[in-house]
Amino acid sequence: MSKSQQALEVIVLAAGQGKRMRSRLPKVLHQLAGQPMLAHVLDCASALAPRAVHVVVGHGAEQVTAAVAGRGDAAAVRWVHQTEQRGTGDAVARALPGAAAGAVALVLYGDVPLITSGTLRACVDRALAGELCIVTAHFEDPAQLGRIVRDEAGRIVRIVEHGDASPAERAIREINSGILACDAGRLGDLLSRVRPDNAQGELYLTDVVALAVADKMPVSGVVSADPDEVRGVNDRAQLAELERVHQRRWAQRLMAAGVSVADPARLDVRGRVTAGMDCFLDINVVLEGDVVLGDGVRVGPGSVIRDAVLGDGVTVHAHTVIDGAEVGPGCDVGPFARLRPGTRLGANARIGNFVETKKTVLGAGSKANHLAYLGDATLGDDCNVGAGTITCNYDGIDKHPTTVGDRVFIGTNSTLVAPVTIESDAFVAAGTTVTSRVGAGDLAVGRSRQRNIQGWTRPDRRKRDS
Protein backbone atom coordinates (compact mmCIF):
# COMPACT_ATOMS: atom_id res chain seq x y z
CA MET A 1 0.00 0.00 0.00
CA SER A 2 1.42 3.40 -0.98
CA LYS A 3 1.61 6.20 1.54
CA SER A 4 -1.15 8.11 -0.26
CA GLN A 5 -3.42 5.07 0.02
CA GLN A 6 -2.61 4.32 3.65
CA ALA A 7 -5.76 4.00 5.76
CA LEU A 8 -6.56 6.65 8.34
CA GLU A 9 -8.05 5.68 11.69
CA VAL A 10 -9.35 8.52 13.87
CA ILE A 11 -9.48 8.03 17.63
CA VAL A 12 -11.58 10.55 19.57
CA LEU A 13 -11.20 10.66 23.36
CA ALA A 14 -14.60 11.40 24.90
CA ALA A 15 -14.62 9.49 28.19
CA GLY A 16 -14.06 12.35 30.64
CA GLN A 17 -16.65 13.44 33.17
CA GLY A 18 -15.78 17.12 33.12
CA LYS A 19 -16.31 17.83 36.82
CA ARG A 20 -15.63 21.54 36.41
CA MET A 21 -18.68 21.84 34.15
CA ARG A 22 -20.77 21.04 37.25
CA SER A 23 -23.33 19.22 35.14
CA ARG A 24 -25.08 15.86 34.85
CA LEU A 25 -24.41 16.04 31.12
CA PRO A 26 -21.16 14.49 29.86
CA LYS A 27 -18.75 17.27 28.97
CA VAL A 28 -18.50 16.44 25.26
CA LEU A 29 -22.28 16.84 24.91
CA HIS A 30 -22.33 20.46 26.04
CA GLN A 31 -23.30 22.50 23.02
CA LEU A 32 -21.32 24.95 20.97
CA ALA A 33 -23.17 26.73 18.15
CA GLY A 34 -26.24 24.58 18.67
CA GLN A 35 -24.65 21.11 18.59
CA PRO A 36 -22.55 19.00 20.96
CA MET A 37 -18.82 19.67 21.01
CA LEU A 38 -18.28 16.03 20.02
CA ALA A 39 -20.36 16.58 16.87
CA HIS A 40 -18.01 19.37 15.75
CA VAL A 41 -15.02 17.06 16.19
CA LEU A 42 -16.71 14.21 14.30
CA ASP A 43 -17.66 16.53 11.43
CA CYS A 44 -14.06 17.72 11.16
CA ALA A 45 -12.78 14.14 11.27
CA SER A 46 -15.19 13.03 8.55
CA ALA A 47 -13.72 15.67 6.21
CA LEU A 48 -10.50 13.61 6.24
CA ALA A 49 -12.34 10.52 4.90
CA PRO A 50 -11.09 8.08 7.57
CA ARG A 51 -11.67 4.34 7.35
CA ALA A 52 -13.30 4.51 10.79
CA VAL A 53 -13.72 6.82 13.78
CA HIS A 54 -13.17 5.17 17.17
CA VAL A 55 -14.81 7.15 19.98
CA VAL A 56 -13.60 6.25 23.47
CA VAL A 57 -16.42 6.75 25.97
CA GLY A 58 -16.71 6.28 29.70
CA HIS A 59 -18.74 8.65 31.85
CA GLY A 60 -22.28 8.94 30.48
CA ALA A 61 -21.49 6.53 27.63
CA GLU A 62 -25.16 5.85 26.88
CA GLN A 63 -25.92 9.55 26.57
CA VAL A 64 -22.94 10.10 24.32
CA THR A 65 -23.75 7.24 21.97
CA ALA A 66 -27.40 8.30 21.80
CA ALA A 67 -26.41 11.86 20.90
CA VAL A 68 -24.36 10.68 17.91
CA ALA A 69 -26.84 8.02 16.74
CA GLY A 70 -28.82 9.27 13.77
CA ARG A 71 -26.09 11.56 12.48
CA GLY A 72 -25.04 11.07 8.88
CA ASP A 73 -21.60 9.76 9.86
CA ALA A 74 -22.85 7.53 12.70
CA ALA A 75 -22.25 4.32 10.71
CA ALA A 76 -18.50 5.02 10.64
CA VAL A 77 -18.31 5.44 14.42
CA ARG A 78 -17.01 2.56 16.51
CA TRP A 79 -17.50 2.80 20.25
CA VAL A 80 -14.73 1.88 22.68
CA HIS A 81 -15.52 1.75 26.41
CA GLN A 82 -13.00 2.90 29.00
CA THR A 83 -14.67 1.85 32.24
CA GLU A 84 -11.82 3.03 34.47
CA GLN A 85 -10.23 6.42 33.82
CA ARG A 86 -6.52 5.56 33.66
CA GLY A 87 -5.34 8.39 31.44
CA THR A 88 -5.14 9.34 27.79
CA GLY A 89 -2.54 6.69 27.01
CA ASP A 90 -4.82 3.95 28.28
CA ALA A 91 -7.76 5.37 26.30
CA VAL A 92 -5.84 5.33 23.00
CA ALA A 93 -4.44 1.86 23.71
CA ARG A 94 -7.99 0.52 24.08
CA ALA A 95 -8.96 1.87 20.65
CA LEU A 96 -5.88 0.81 18.68
CA PRO A 97 -6.77 -2.91 18.37
CA GLY A 98 -9.66 -1.89 16.10
CA ALA A 99 -7.35 -0.06 13.68
CA ALA A 100 -6.43 -1.56 10.34
CA ALA A 101 -2.94 -2.98 9.91
CA GLY A 102 -0.54 -0.39 8.54
CA ALA A 103 -2.96 2.49 9.16
CA VAL A 104 -2.14 5.94 10.49
CA ALA A 105 -3.85 6.77 13.78
CA LEU A 106 -4.97 10.34 14.43
CA VAL A 107 -5.89 11.16 18.03
CA LEU A 108 -8.48 13.89 18.65
CA TYR A 109 -10.41 15.14 21.68
CA GLY A 110 -14.15 15.53 22.07
CA ASP A 111 -13.73 18.75 24.07
CA VAL A 112 -11.54 20.52 21.46
CA PRO A 113 -14.37 21.51 19.10
CA LEU A 114 -12.79 24.17 16.86
CA ILE A 115 -9.97 22.14 15.36
CA THR A 116 -9.80 22.52 11.57
CA SER A 117 -9.35 19.89 8.89
CA GLY A 118 -6.44 21.84 7.38
CA THR A 119 -4.36 21.53 10.53
CA LEU A 120 -5.26 17.86 10.89
CA ARG A 121 -4.38 17.12 7.28
CA ALA A 122 -0.93 18.66 7.76
CA CYS A 123 -0.44 16.49 10.85
CA VAL A 124 -1.55 13.32 9.06
CA ASP A 125 0.75 14.05 6.12
CA ARG A 126 3.73 14.07 8.49
CA ALA A 127 2.64 10.71 9.89
CA LEU A 128 2.35 9.31 6.37
CA ALA A 129 5.99 10.29 5.93
CA GLY A 130 6.93 8.09 8.89
CA GLU A 131 7.00 10.70 11.65
CA LEU A 132 5.23 10.98 14.96
CA CYS A 133 3.57 14.38 14.56
CA ILE A 134 1.92 16.48 17.26
CA VAL A 135 -0.11 19.67 16.92
CA THR A 136 1.24 22.54 19.01
CA ALA A 137 0.39 26.22 19.52
CA HIS A 138 1.86 29.26 21.25
CA PHE A 139 -0.27 30.64 24.09
CA GLU A 140 0.32 33.87 25.97
CA ASP A 141 -0.93 32.10 29.10
CA PRO A 142 -0.40 28.32 28.85
CA ALA A 143 -2.00 27.82 32.29
CA GLN A 144 -2.32 24.10 33.10
CA LEU A 145 -1.42 22.82 29.63
CA GLY A 146 1.46 20.50 28.83
CA ARG A 147 4.60 22.18 27.50
CA ILE A 148 6.67 21.29 24.42
CA VAL A 149 10.30 20.78 25.36
CA ARG A 150 12.80 21.24 22.52
CA ASP A 151 16.57 20.76 22.39
CA GLU A 152 19.10 23.39 21.37
CA ALA A 153 18.53 22.54 17.72
CA GLY A 154 14.79 23.15 18.08
CA ARG A 155 13.83 19.49 17.87
CA ILE A 156 10.97 18.22 20.04
CA VAL A 157 12.37 15.89 22.70
CA ARG A 158 9.45 15.46 25.09
CA ILE A 159 6.22 16.86 26.49
CA VAL A 160 5.95 17.70 30.17
CA GLU A 161 2.60 18.00 31.90
CA HIS A 162 2.05 21.12 33.97
CA GLY A 163 1.85 19.19 37.22
CA ASP A 164 5.22 17.59 36.58
CA ALA A 165 6.95 20.64 35.09
CA SER A 166 9.78 22.61 36.66
CA PRO A 167 9.54 26.41 36.95
CA ALA A 168 11.69 26.76 33.83
CA GLU A 169 9.47 24.36 31.89
CA ARG A 170 6.33 26.18 33.01
CA ALA A 171 7.77 29.34 31.47
CA ILE A 172 7.58 27.71 28.02
CA ARG A 173 4.79 29.20 25.88
CA GLU A 174 4.54 26.41 23.28
CA ILE A 175 1.85 23.98 24.38
CA ASN A 176 0.79 20.49 23.46
CA SER A 177 -2.73 20.32 22.05
CA GLY A 178 -2.86 16.57 22.68
CA ILE A 179 -3.59 15.95 19.01
CA LEU A 180 -1.11 13.62 17.33
CA ALA A 181 -0.76 11.30 14.35
CA CYS A 182 1.45 8.24 14.01
CA ASP A 183 1.62 4.85 12.37
CA ALA A 184 -0.86 2.80 14.42
CA GLY A 185 1.52 -0.10 14.92
CA ARG A 186 4.35 2.13 16.10
CA LEU A 187 1.99 4.01 18.38
CA GLY A 188 0.82 0.77 19.96
CA ASP A 189 4.40 -0.28 20.62
CA LEU A 190 5.22 3.06 22.23
CA LEU A 191 2.11 2.95 24.42
CA SER A 192 2.99 -0.54 25.65
CA ARG A 193 6.09 0.99 27.26
CA VAL A 194 4.39 3.94 28.94
CA ARG A 195 4.37 3.80 32.75
CA PRO A 196 2.28 5.77 35.26
CA ASP A 197 5.34 7.54 36.69
CA ASN A 198 3.72 10.92 37.27
CA ALA A 199 1.89 12.95 39.90
CA GLN A 200 -1.50 11.64 38.74
CA GLY A 201 -0.50 8.00 38.51
CA GLU A 202 -1.96 7.84 34.99
CA LEU A 203 -0.77 6.60 31.62
CA TYR A 204 -0.01 9.77 29.66
CA LEU A 205 -0.26 9.67 25.88
CA THR A 206 2.30 12.46 25.81
CA ASP A 207 5.00 10.10 27.16
CA VAL A 208 5.20 8.43 23.74
CA VAL A 209 7.11 11.46 22.45
CA ALA A 210 10.15 10.88 24.66
CA LEU A 211 10.03 7.16 23.88
CA ALA A 212 9.93 7.89 20.14
CA VAL A 213 12.93 10.23 20.47
CA ALA A 214 14.80 7.50 22.33
CA ASP A 215 13.97 5.09 19.48
CA LYS A 216 15.31 7.71 17.02
CA MET A 217 11.90 7.92 15.40
CA PRO A 218 11.38 11.34 13.75
CA VAL A 219 9.18 13.58 15.90
CA SER A 220 7.77 16.79 14.44
CA GLY A 221 5.22 19.43 15.30
CA VAL A 222 2.58 21.23 13.30
CA VAL A 223 2.17 24.66 14.86
CA SER A 224 -1.41 25.90 14.66
CA ALA A 225 -1.65 29.34 13.09
CA ASP A 226 -4.72 30.07 15.23
CA PRO A 227 -4.33 29.00 18.87
CA ASP A 228 -8.11 29.13 19.35
CA GLU A 229 -8.57 26.02 17.23
CA VAL A 230 -6.73 23.84 19.77
CA ARG A 231 -8.29 25.29 22.91
CA GLY A 232 -10.07 22.72 25.02
CA VAL A 233 -13.11 23.18 27.24
CA ASN A 234 -12.93 22.41 30.94
CA ASP A 235 -15.63 24.71 32.31
CA ARG A 236 -18.59 26.78 31.17
CA ALA A 237 -16.58 29.99 30.95
CA GLN A 238 -14.19 28.40 28.45
CA LEU A 239 -17.16 27.05 26.50
CA ALA A 240 -18.63 30.55 26.28
CA GLU A 241 -15.28 31.92 25.08
CA LEU A 242 -15.09 29.36 22.27
CA GLU A 243 -18.72 30.07 21.34
CA ARG A 244 -17.77 33.67 20.63
CA VAL A 245 -14.68 32.57 18.68
CA HIS A 246 -16.87 30.35 16.51
CA GLN A 247 -19.42 33.13 15.97
CA ARG A 248 -16.72 35.64 15.12
CA ARG A 249 -15.42 33.27 12.45
CA TRP A 250 -18.92 32.95 10.96
CA ALA A 251 -19.44 36.72 10.99
CA GLN A 252 -16.14 37.25 9.20
CA ARG A 253 -17.01 34.57 6.64
CA LEU A 254 -20.39 36.16 5.90
CA MET A 255 -18.99 39.67 5.66
CA ALA A 256 -16.34 38.43 3.22
CA ALA A 257 -19.19 37.02 1.10
CA GLY A 258 -20.92 40.42 0.89
CA VAL A 259 -23.19 40.38 3.95
CA SER A 260 -23.37 43.41 6.24
CA VAL A 261 -23.48 42.46 9.92
CA ALA A 262 -24.61 45.22 12.27
CA ASP A 263 -22.52 43.87 15.15
CA PRO A 264 -20.41 40.73 14.64
CA ALA A 265 -20.41 40.18 18.42
CA ARG A 266 -24.21 39.85 18.39
CA LEU A 267 -24.75 37.31 15.64
CA ASP A 268 -25.22 33.58 16.28
CA VAL A 269 -24.92 30.96 13.55
CA ARG A 270 -25.89 27.47 14.67
CA GLY A 271 -25.68 25.54 11.44
CA ARG A 272 -24.80 26.36 7.83
CA VAL A 273 -25.60 29.61 6.03
CA THR A 274 -25.47 30.43 2.33
CA ALA A 275 -25.98 34.10 1.58
CA GLY A 276 -26.15 36.25 -1.53
CA MET A 277 -24.75 39.75 -1.90
CA ASP A 278 -25.92 42.86 -0.09
CA CYS A 279 -27.75 41.11 2.72
CA PHE A 280 -28.05 42.82 6.10
CA LEU A 281 -28.22 41.10 9.49
CA ASP A 282 -29.19 43.31 12.41
CA ILE A 283 -28.21 42.70 16.04
CA ASN A 284 -29.14 39.52 17.91
CA VAL A 285 -30.08 37.57 14.80
CA VAL A 286 -29.90 33.77 15.21
CA LEU A 287 -29.46 31.53 12.15
CA GLU A 288 -30.01 27.82 12.83
CA GLY A 289 -29.79 24.65 10.73
CA ASP A 290 -29.58 25.11 6.96
CA VAL A 291 -30.35 28.71 6.00
CA VAL A 292 -30.26 30.15 2.49
CA LEU A 293 -30.49 33.91 1.99
CA GLY A 294 -30.92 35.38 -1.47
CA ASP A 295 -29.52 38.72 -2.62
CA GLY A 296 -30.57 41.80 -0.70
CA VAL A 297 -32.23 40.01 2.22
CA ARG A 298 -32.65 42.13 5.35
CA VAL A 299 -33.21 40.50 8.74
CA GLY A 300 -34.29 42.70 11.64
CA PRO A 301 -33.08 42.59 15.24
CA GLY A 302 -33.93 39.63 17.46
CA SER A 303 -35.13 37.43 14.61
CA VAL A 304 -34.59 33.66 14.43
CA ILE A 305 -34.26 31.95 11.03
CA ARG A 306 -34.17 28.15 11.13
CA ASP A 307 -33.95 25.67 8.22
CA ALA A 308 -35.41 28.23 5.83
CA VAL A 309 -34.95 29.66 2.35
CA LEU A 310 -35.44 33.40 1.86
CA GLY A 311 -35.60 34.68 -1.70
CA ASP A 312 -34.10 37.84 -3.16
CA GLY A 313 -35.20 41.11 -1.58
CA VAL A 314 -37.02 39.58 1.40
CA THR A 315 -37.42 41.83 4.44
CA VAL A 316 -37.79 40.24 7.87
CA HIS A 317 -38.75 42.73 10.55
CA ALA A 318 -37.81 42.62 14.22
CA HIS A 319 -38.43 39.62 16.50
CA THR A 320 -39.76 37.31 13.82
CA VAL A 321 -39.35 33.51 13.85
CA ILE A 322 -39.10 31.70 10.50
CA ASP A 323 -38.83 27.93 10.92
CA GLY A 324 -38.85 25.42 8.07
CA ALA A 325 -40.36 27.89 5.62
CA GLU A 326 -39.78 29.04 2.04
CA VAL A 327 -40.19 32.77 1.58
CA GLY A 328 -40.46 33.99 -1.99
CA PRO A 329 -38.72 37.02 -3.48
CA GLY A 330 -39.86 40.44 -2.36
CA CYS A 331 -41.85 39.19 0.63
CA ASP A 332 -42.27 41.27 3.77
CA VAL A 333 -42.53 39.41 7.11
CA GLY A 334 -43.07 40.67 10.65
CA PRO A 335 -42.50 42.21 13.07
CA PHE A 336 -43.40 39.57 15.67
CA ALA A 337 -44.52 37.04 13.08
CA ARG A 338 -44.05 33.27 13.24
CA LEU A 339 -43.75 31.10 10.14
CA ARG A 340 -43.82 27.44 11.14
CA PRO A 341 -42.68 24.38 9.13
CA GLY A 342 -44.40 23.84 5.81
CA THR A 343 -45.08 27.52 5.16
CA ARG A 344 -44.48 28.73 1.60
CA LEU A 345 -44.92 32.35 0.59
CA GLY A 346 -45.22 33.40 -3.04
CA ALA A 347 -43.53 36.45 -4.45
CA ASN A 348 -44.33 39.76 -2.71
CA ALA A 349 -46.57 38.17 -0.10
CA ARG A 350 -46.96 39.94 3.22
CA ILE A 351 -47.14 38.45 6.72
CA GLY A 352 -47.54 41.14 9.36
CA ASN A 353 -47.26 41.49 13.10
CA PHE A 354 -48.55 38.70 15.34
CA VAL A 355 -49.47 36.42 12.43
CA GLU A 356 -48.73 32.69 12.71
CA THR A 357 -48.69 30.23 9.84
CA LYS A 358 -48.25 26.44 9.75
CA LYS A 359 -48.27 24.23 6.63
CA THR A 360 -49.71 27.17 4.76
CA VAL A 361 -49.19 28.36 1.19
CA LEU A 362 -49.77 32.03 0.42
CA GLY A 363 -49.87 32.94 -3.25
CA ALA A 364 -48.11 35.87 -4.88
CA GLY A 365 -49.18 39.23 -3.54
CA SER A 366 -51.42 37.79 -0.81
CA LYS A 367 -51.28 39.31 2.65
CA ALA A 368 -52.22 38.69 6.25
CA ASN A 369 -51.17 41.92 7.88
CA HIS A 370 -51.92 41.35 11.54
CA LEU A 371 -53.30 39.12 14.29
CA ALA A 372 -54.17 35.97 12.32
CA TYR A 373 -53.58 32.21 12.41
CA LEU A 374 -53.40 30.21 9.18
CA GLY A 375 -52.85 26.47 9.55
CA ASP A 376 -53.09 23.72 6.90
CA ALA A 377 -54.27 26.33 4.43
CA THR A 378 -53.67 27.08 0.77
CA LEU A 379 -54.43 30.60 -0.44
CA GLY A 380 -54.15 31.78 -4.02
CA ASP A 381 -52.77 35.04 -5.37
CA ASP A 382 -53.74 38.54 -4.22
CA CYS A 383 -55.84 37.48 -1.25
CA ASN A 384 -56.41 39.64 1.82
CA VAL A 385 -56.75 38.11 5.29
CA GLY A 386 -58.21 40.51 7.86
CA ALA A 387 -57.10 40.92 11.47
CA GLY A 388 -58.32 38.28 13.91
CA THR A 389 -58.96 35.66 11.21
CA ILE A 390 -58.21 32.05 12.10
CA THR A 391 -58.44 28.70 10.37
CA CYS A 392 -59.98 26.07 12.65
CA ASN A 393 -57.92 23.21 11.27
CA TYR A 394 -57.89 20.81 14.25
CA ASP A 395 -60.94 18.91 15.50
CA GLY A 396 -59.16 17.30 18.43
CA ILE A 397 -58.13 14.24 16.42
CA ASP A 398 -57.27 15.22 12.83
CA LYS A 399 -56.00 18.28 10.96
CA HIS A 400 -58.15 19.51 8.06
CA PRO A 401 -57.35 21.76 5.08
CA THR A 402 -58.65 25.18 4.14
CA THR A 403 -58.51 26.03 0.42
CA VAL A 404 -58.86 29.62 -0.78
CA GLY A 405 -58.80 30.72 -4.42
CA ASP A 406 -57.39 33.90 -5.96
CA ARG A 407 -58.39 37.48 -5.08
CA VAL A 408 -60.42 36.44 -2.05
CA PHE A 409 -61.13 39.04 0.64
CA ILE A 410 -61.55 37.69 4.17
CA GLY A 411 -62.87 40.26 6.58
CA THR A 412 -61.76 40.92 10.14
CA ASN A 413 -62.46 38.33 12.85
CA SER A 414 -63.55 35.63 10.42
CA THR A 415 -63.43 31.97 11.46
CA LEU A 416 -62.80 29.40 8.73
CA VAL A 417 -63.88 25.97 9.99
CA ALA A 418 -61.99 23.29 8.05
CA PRO A 419 -62.38 21.39 5.86
CA VAL A 420 -63.70 24.26 3.81
CA THR A 421 -63.19 25.84 0.37
CA ILE A 422 -63.57 29.50 -0.60
CA GLU A 423 -63.47 29.96 -4.35
CA SER A 424 -61.84 32.79 -6.29
CA ASP A 425 -63.15 36.36 -6.05
CA ALA A 426 -65.33 35.53 -3.04
CA PHE A 427 -65.80 37.98 -0.17
CA VAL A 428 -66.16 36.95 3.47
CA ALA A 429 -67.81 39.61 5.62
CA ALA A 430 -66.21 40.64 8.91
CA GLY A 431 -67.11 38.44 11.86
CA THR A 432 -68.29 35.55 9.69
CA THR A 433 -67.94 31.89 10.67
CA VAL A 434 -67.49 29.94 7.44
CA THR A 435 -68.53 26.28 7.70
CA SER A 436 -69.35 25.42 4.09
CA ARG A 437 -68.15 26.13 0.57
CA VAL A 438 -68.25 29.74 -0.65
CA GLY A 439 -68.73 29.94 -4.41
CA ALA A 440 -66.75 32.05 -6.84
CA GLY A 441 -67.65 35.73 -6.46
CA ASP A 442 -70.09 35.07 -3.59
CA LEU A 443 -70.43 37.11 -0.41
CA ALA A 444 -70.42 34.97 2.73
CA VAL A 445 -72.12 36.39 5.80
CA GLY A 446 -72.40 34.10 8.80
CA ARG A 447 -73.01 36.08 11.96
CA SER A 448 -75.95 36.62 14.34
CA ARG A 449 -78.18 39.66 13.92
CA GLN A 450 -77.40 42.57 16.24
CA ARG A 451 -79.96 43.16 18.99
CA ASN A 452 -80.04 46.28 21.21
CA ILE A 453 -81.72 46.01 24.65
CA GLN A 454 -83.02 49.27 25.99
CA GLY A 455 -83.13 50.02 29.72
CA TRP A 456 -80.33 47.56 30.51
CA THR A 457 -78.44 48.22 33.75
CA ARG A 458 -74.73 47.54 33.94
CA PRO A 459 -73.67 45.12 36.72
CA ASP A 460 -71.51 47.73 38.51
CA ARG A 461 -74.47 50.09 38.67
CA ARG A 462 -76.77 47.37 39.99
CA LYS A 463 -74.55 46.98 43.05
CA ARG A 464 -74.38 50.72 43.55
CA ASP A 465 -78.19 51.14 43.32
CA SER A 466 -79.10 48.23 45.64
Side-chain angles (χ1 to χ4, degrees):
M1 181 184 294
S2 68
K3 293 295 183 184
S4 62
Q5 295 173 323
Q6 197 167 353
L8 174 64
E9 305 277 350
V10 174
I11 299 172
V12 182
L13 305 190
Q17 182 175 357
K19 293 180 179 179
R20 280 185 277 173
M21 300 297 288
R22 300 186 63 81
S23 172
R24 294 184 179 88
L25 191 69
K27 181 168 69 169
V28 297
L29 296 188
H30 282 265
Q31 294 200 346
L32 182 142
Q35 59 179 331
M37 289 191 287
L38 178 59
H40 289 272
V41 177
L42 294 178
D43 286 345
C44 186
S46 67
L48 303 177
R51 187 188 77 90
V53 178
H54 310 265
V55 181
V56 182
V57 292
H59 174 73
E62 291 185 0
Q63 288 177 276
V64 176
T65 55
V68 174
R71 292 179 56 83
D73 54 2
V77 173
R78 301 180 181 184
W79 301 102
V80 179
H81 290 265
Q82 185 188 32
T83 54
E84 182 182 356
Q85 308 298 300
R86 299 183 59 235
T88 52
D90 176 67
V92 174
R94 290 176 180 272
L96 279 175
V104 163
L106 171 66
V107 180
L108 305 178
Y109 295 81
D111 60 357
V112 182
L114 298 187
I115 188 65
T116 62
S117 58
T119 296
L120 296 183
R121 174 54 65 190
C123 185
V124 170
D125 286 345
R126 299 280 186 89
L128 289 170
E131 302 176 6
L132 187 157
C133 183
I134 58 179
V135 176
T136 75
H138 291 93
F139 281 8
E140 287 298 321
D141 179 12
Q144 308 296 311
L145 298 172
R147 307 304 205 268
I148 301 296
V149 180
R150 296 178 180 266
D151 63 16
E152 293 180 355
R155 294 183 294 253
I156 296 174
V157 294
R158 63 190 177 93
I159 299 171
V160 60
E161 296 298 331
H162 179 271
D164 303 307
S166 67
E169 289 168 337
R170 291 185 180 183
I172 297 171
R173 293 292 176 262
E174 186 178 12
I175 62 91
N176 168 44
S177 70
I179 297 169
L180 64 79
C182 181
D183 175 86
R186 294 294 300 274
L187 183 58
D189 173 65
L190 294 170
L191 283 171
S192 71
R193 291 182 273 151
V194 171
R195 296 293 177 263
D197 301 330
N198 51 67
Q200 304 298 321
E202 295 183 348
L203 299 173
Y204 288 160
L205 175 64
T206 50
D207 286 350
V208 301
V209 173
L211 291 170
V213 171
D215 288 352
K216 301 190 182 307
M217 179 182 181
V219 176
S220 64
V222 169
V223 181
S224 170
D226 180 3
D228 286 330
E229 74 168 317
V230 299
R231 292 187 188 276
V233 171
N234 291 305
D235 56 38
R236 295 177 189 263
Q238 291 175 343
L239 180 61
E241 289 172 3
L242 288 194
E243 177 76 35
R244 296 330 307 166
V245 170
H246 177 85
Q247 299 305 339
R248 184 172 66 247
R249 288 179 179 178
W250 255 114
Q252 291 169 344
R253 195 177 307 159
L254 289 170
M255 289 187 291
V259 177
S260 292
V261 179
D263 184 352
R266 288 187 284 177
L267 169 70
D268 282 82
V269 177
R270 300 169 185 168
R272 292 171 294 275
V273 179
T274 302
M277 294 188 296
D278 298 319
C279 294
F280 173 74
L281 303 176
D282 213 324
I283 62 171
N284 299 326
V285 168
V286 179
L287 306 175
E288 298 183 347
D290 291 313
V291 174
V292 178
L293 307 177
D295 292 338
V297 172
R298 299 183 65 84
V299 181
S303 295
V304 178
I305 315 296
R306 180 186 303 115
D307 292 321
V309 177
L310 278 58
D312 295 346
V314 167
T315 298
V316 179
H317 297 281
H319 305 291
T320 290
V321 177
I322 299 178
D323 182 5
E326 297 180 21
V327 181
C331 287
D332 197 277
V333 183
F336 298 99
R338 183 186 180 195
L339 307 187
R340 291 167 57 190
T343 295
R344 289 189 289 120
L345 305 184
N348 302 308
R350 169 80 172 97
I351 296 290
N353 50 290
F354 303 105
V355 174
E356 179 182 3
T357 66
K358 187 272 294 183
K359 281 189 179 179
T360 288
V361 177
L362 230 64
S366 290
K367 56 187 178 180
N369 275 324
H370 32 230
L371 300 164
Y373 169 69
L374 302 174
D376 298 283
T378 301
L379 288 77
D381 298 342
D382 298 315
C383 294
N384 180 85
V385 178
T389 294
I390 64 168
T391 56
C392 301
N393 56 318
Y394 183 50
D395 63 8
I397 299 176
D398 298 315
K399 302 290 179 67
H400 300 281
T402 297
T403 303
V404 178
D406 299 329
R407 299 173 301 280
V408 171
F409 184 95
I410 300 174
T412 298
N413 285 338
S414 294
T415 303
L416 313 181
V417 183
V420 70
T421 297
I422 302 173
E423 297 181 356
S424 295
D425 298 304
F427 194 106
V428 177
T432 292
T433 298
V434 179
T435 58
S436 60
R437 176 183 293 270
V438 180
D442 287 354
L443 167 65
V445 182
R447 58 192 181 209
S448 60
R449 184 182 299 275
Q450 178 178 329
R451 185 163 60 102
N452 297 338
I453 301 174
Q454 297 180 347
W456 178 74
T457 303
R458 286 168 38 175
D460 57 336
R461 292 180 179 172
R462 291 177 199 163
K463 292 181 180 178
R464 208 166 43 231
D465 295 342
S466 61

